[in-house]
Amino acid sequence: MSKNISHLSGRQGLKNNLFEKIGHLSEHEGTLSKEQKIGLAEEYLIGKANITGTISAYDFTREENRGKKAYVCNGSACLLAGTQDAVREKLGKHLKEEEIGNMTCLGRCHENSAFNFNGTNYSALSDADFDEVMQNKKPKTDNYYVDHNGLQILTGDFPGLDTFYTTLKDSLAEGPDAVLQKIKNSGVRGRGGAGFSMGFKLEACKNEPGNEKYIVCNADEGDPGAYSDRYLLEQQPHLVIFGMIAAGYAVGANWGVIYTRAEYPESVDIVQNALDQLYDLNILGENIMGSDFSYDLKVVKGLGAYICGEETALLNSLEGQRPEVRTRPPYPTQQGLFNKPTVVNNVETLATLHYILTHTGKKYAEHGTEKSTGTKLVCLDSFFNRPGMYEVEMGTPLRTVIDEMGQGFKQPVKALHIGGPLGGLVPMSKIDNLSIDFESFAQEGFLLGHASVICIPEEYPLVQYIEHLFEFTAHESCGKCFPCRLGSTRGKEMFQKAQTEGYKMDRELLDDLIDTMERGSLCALGGGVPLPVKNALQYFEDELKQYFN
Ligand SMILES: Cc1cc2nc3c(=O)[nH]c(=O)nc-3n(C[C@H](O)[C@H](O)[C@H](O)COP(=O)(O)O)c2cc1C
Ligand code: SF4
């Protein structure tokens, strides 16, 4: 990254944000014209090459996106459901081939047949509904189960603004140290994948010198199979916003940003409406609720790049830079957005704060397990009899989630891909060893991640699925380090060739490749994709051995 560009971009700050401007300018044509690029470079005092580098990194600004009208979801869940060729064919009756692109993933993993048309997402449409949508007549939302197994920290009914924000008034009276202490007492760990202590991160940021600090909500939920952040943003926006305000108060930040996805258009509008409402009520802005705490919050829409879920790539993105991963140290809490101390937390992590500050951190820590406190949202895909979004106490057996909440599978399934593309591939024989918490997954050599569950049906060839994972990584790689940039493409080629050209893979070569990716990659994209590949090689040796010499 360039600290100089961070600084230059920071001069305009979040109010006249370069990244957002690039997004707005590309809305009409799908990318920027040469004149627009020059105009931006002059306005922000940065090189035209920097602007070109940025727009070429995103699905929805790069030149290939010009003139696209519809996007077909090509995420893992829709791929495994086998629904997308039919969607493309139906769209082809109304649009030219070059007007149809791809999006990964629309978060409709519970229904599939997902696509975006004219800025709205659709899934599982009947033929009649499909035709109406194409004539711009009939918006249609999706349906999924929302349930829990006891405690509702994240899925409860909204009590109304007055009651809900009483906790904020109380917290402002208690002071930032008390708020931080409650969060530390809760033991809540990051839900974005790594499970890092939220209290530790907030405290580190609070202790940094300076009076310009940021809270960033990582709402770039790109993991195919996951739609829990989408649920929170659309159905529980105040849980997320409250978390942003409380985190800002605890560390002494003056700005918060919710970085969400172009692939979730409804989320952006819903959160924006909620923010507008709160500004009107002085729950955001200057001297919130009569206190001496002032805090601004905005929602920024991403432009289609999975790597922006990685927190430092996200910060570069927000600055209008190419979304490449940064080396650490310095950590975001030391030098984050515009080089200022910044906390990046996941949507679900932030959404826990309302319960914690209402009921105390100790009360929160009474739920779940000793090291994985609280509850977790788990998303089940369309292979389950009850696809949906379930809030379970940490420590709940995976078997309970599958049999009781999801009520089993619609068809035979041989493995579960849990925790996104970088999560483990769990064979059915391991299900009874796992419970929904960080420790149990780690002990068994898997990863809880964001706890999305994608089913791999019995008849789906794993060789194809691994090719898909490498292809996904190759497409989404930020390109900064070679083990990921080159390794993902070489892996894709190996698994592709193994299927089409009578070519047999060299096991030693593959082991070297995944070892290099795992050990040499700068971030967990290149470093993480070897896990499901290794799981497949270990647990499905009989199926895969035919592809090796
Ligand atoms: C390739 C990649 C993608 C990621 N995607 C997300 C994401 O979509 N949402 C998220 O919260 N964290 C994601 N993360 C993790 C973030 O880098 C970071 O750890 C997280 O936002 C911190 O928030 P938490 O502590 O609340 O989990 C991703 C990491 C990597 C390496
Ligand atoms: S592992 Fe991949 S995504 Fe991560 S820094 Fe390296 S090239 Fe970028």
Side-chain angles (χ1 to χ4, degrees):
M1 73 145 178
S2 163
K3 288 197 175 137
N4 191 27
I5 298 176
S6 297
H7 178 70
L8 288 168
S9 173
R11 293 199 326 178
Q12 306 270 5
L14 286 164
K15 281 195 176 138
N16 185 24
N17 180 253
L18 171 59
F19 175 66
E20 280 187 295
K21 218 163 209 183
I22 291 173
H24 293 318
L25 289 174
S26 59
E27 259 163 25
H28 189 56
E29 289 291 318
T31 187
L32 267 67
S33 67
K34 194 174 158 201
E35 293 69 34
Q36 286 171 325
K37 284 188 226 170
I38 293 170
L40 280 181
E42 283 172 0
E43 183 182 347
Y44 288 85
L45 303 176
I46 58 179
K48 192 163 91 48
N50 295 109
I51 304 285
T52 303
T54 297
I55 67 166
S56 64
Y58 296 100
D59 286 346
F60 307 129
T61 52
R62 57 170 64 114
E63 186 54 35
E64 299 89 301
N65 191 52
R66 195 181 286 282
K68 294 276 185 284
K69 292 189 175 151
Y71 300 87
V72 178
C73 181
N74 61 351
S76 312
C78 280
L79 172 93
L80 290 163
T83 52
Q84 300 312 82
D85 286 348
V87 171
R88 201 165 257 282
E89 199 184 314
K90 281 192 204 172
L91 285 169
K93 291 184 186 147
H94 301 266
L95 301 170
K96 295 184 202 137
E97 180 62 31
E98 61 272 21
E99 290 173 332
I100 307 171
N102 284 319
M103 273 193 184
T104 323
C105 127
L106 301 190
R108 302 288 185 109
C109 317
H110 51 282
E111 284 194 343
N112 309 120
S113 303
F115 67 98
N116 174 292
F117 176 62
N118 271 350
T120 305
N121 287 350
Y122 301 98
S123 46
L125 293 183
S126 66
D127 285 352
D129 282 344
F130 193 95
D131 289 339
E132 293 213 356
V133 162
M134 295 311 288
Q135 292 159 27
N136 291 319
K137 275 193 196 154
K138 196 178 166 191
K140 184 184 166 285
T141 55
D142 57 329
N143 293 302
Y144 53 90
Y145 290 92
V146 178
D147 210 343
H148 59 93
N149 72 346
L151 186 64
Q152 286 183 282
I153 291 176
L154 303 167
T155 55
D157 291 337
F158 184 61
L161 287 171
D162 281 351
T163 310
F164 185 85
Y165 282 100
T166 305
T167 303
L168 182 61
K169 199 161 181 61
D170 295 344
S171 299
L172 293 173
E174 287 169 19
D177 291 343
V179 167
L180 181 59
Q181 192 56 51
K182 280 187 186 173
I183 299 171
K184 283 168 66 181
N185 292 346
S186 74
V188 64
R189 292 168 62 182
R191 302 308 200 226
F196 195 77
S197 156
M198 183 189 207
F200 185 93
K201 214 148 65 173
L202 292 174
E203 189 163 46
C205 184
K206 181 187 167 77
N207 290 341
E208 284 293 319
N211 53 12
E212 190 184 333
K213 295 180 183 178
Y214 294 94
I215 305 292
V216 175
C217 172
N218 187 341
D220 196 48
E221 179 179 64
D223 284 356
Y227 48 98
S228 42
D229 289 352
R230 182 185 153 227
Y231 161 79
L232 289 169
L233 294 164
E234 292 176 9
Q235 309 290 330
Q236 307 277 3
H238 289 288
L239 280 184
V240 184
I241 294 169
F242 176 94
M244 293 290 291
I245 304 173
Y249 183 59
V251 307
N254 29 22
W255 263 101
V257 194
I258 301 177
Y259 183 101
T260 184
R261 314 177 60 219
E263 294 88 341
Y264 288 179
E266 294 88 353
S267 306
V268 180
D269 295 342
I270 290 169
V271 172
Q272 187 58 59
N273 287 340
L275 294 181
D276 293 345
Q277 224 178 354
L278 296 184
Y279 269 104
D280 286 346
L281 295 168
N282 183 228
I283 295 175
L284 280 172
E286 294 292 310
N287 301 108
I288 290 174
M289 294 173 131
S291 70
D292 58 2
F293 175 54
S294 300
Y295 186 71
D296 282 301
L297 187 48
K298 76 182 291 182
V299 56
V300 170
K301 184 166 78 169
L303 291 169
Y306 176 75
I307 196 56
C308 291
E310 195 286 331
E311 59 184 7
T312 60
L314 189 158
L315 295 174
N316 275 348
S317 175
L318 270 174
E319 291 173 358
Q321 301 203 55
R322 197 173 160 83
E324 285 181 352
V325 171
R326 297 178 181 178
T327 47
R328 278 158 283 209
Y331 292 94
T333 48
Q334 302 166 296
Q335 278 182 33
L337 186 60
F338 309 130
N339 292 334
K340 303 294 178 195
T342 302
V343 171
V344 183
N345 267 131
N346 170 255
V347 172
E348 191 178 328
T349 319
L350 288 157
T352 61
L353 294 194
H354 189 266
Y355 182 94
I356 291 168
L357 298 185
T358 307
H359 298 277
T360 76
K362 287 191 178 127
K363 186 88 196 148
Y364 182 89
E366 284 170 14
H367 304 288
T369 68
E370 195 192 336
K371 291 188 177 156
S372 299
T373 55
T375 61
K376 178 79 197 83
L377 296 179
V378 180
C379 310
L380 304 184
D381 77 358
S382 70
F383 284 99
F384 286 88
N385 285 314
R386 262 178 27 122
M389 227 277 322
Y390 298 98
E391 178 170 15
V392 299
E393 271 205 48
M394 286 283 203
T396 300
L398 180 59
R399 175 65 69 193
T400 307
V401 174
I402 293 172
D403 290 351
E404 289 175 26
M405 316 207 82
Q407 292 184 4
F409 308 109
K410 290 176 185 152
Q411 68 183 75
V413 162
K414 64 182 165 195
L416 303 177
H417 197 177
I418 302 184
L422 316 175
L425 215 66
V426 179
M428 303 316 276
S429 59
K430 287 277 177 187
I431 286 176
D432 290 318
N433 299 13
L434 294 168
S435 52
I436 304 294
D437 57 80
F438 296 111
E439 286 67 39
S440 126
F441 272 71
Q443 268 158 26
E444 291 293 326
F446 303 113
L447 193 86
L448 181 64
H450 207 29
S452 50
V453 186
I454 288 184
C455 299
I456 305 191
E458 197 70 62
E459 78 281 2
Y460 198 92
L462 278 174
V463 68
Q464 261 179 44
Y465 192 64
I466 300 174
E467 181 200 340
H468 159 72
L469 293 178
F470 274 122
E471 187 175 12
F472 175 82
T473 308
H475 181 73
E476 303 296 347
S477 168
C478 82
K480 179 140 171 172
C481 69
F482 76 86
C484 167
R485 186 179 67 236
L486 303 180
S488 54
T489 300
R490 294 289 95 86
K492 178 188 79 170
E493 288 165 356
M494 277 171 100
F495 278 84
Q496 203 171 33
K497 270 165 73 181
Q499 295 167 69
T500 54
E501 295 172 22
Y503 159 94
K504 298 281 179 202
M505 287 185 281
D506 179 338
R507 179 62 195 262
E508 211 180 318
L509 190 65
L510 177 66
D511 285 347
D512 273 357
L513 178 85
I514 51 183
D515 189 50
T516 306
M517 289 183 75
E518 200 167 42
R519 292 209 260 167
S521 294
L522 179 59
C523 86
L525 180 55
V529 76
L531 176 65
V533 179
K534 286 199 307 193
N535 293 154
L537 293 169
Q538 180 183 353
Y539 297 114
F540 296 93
E541 198 187 349
D542 279 353
E543 180 183 329
L544 291 171
K545 65 181 177 210
Q546 58 182 306
Y547 301 103
F548 292 91
N549 56 27

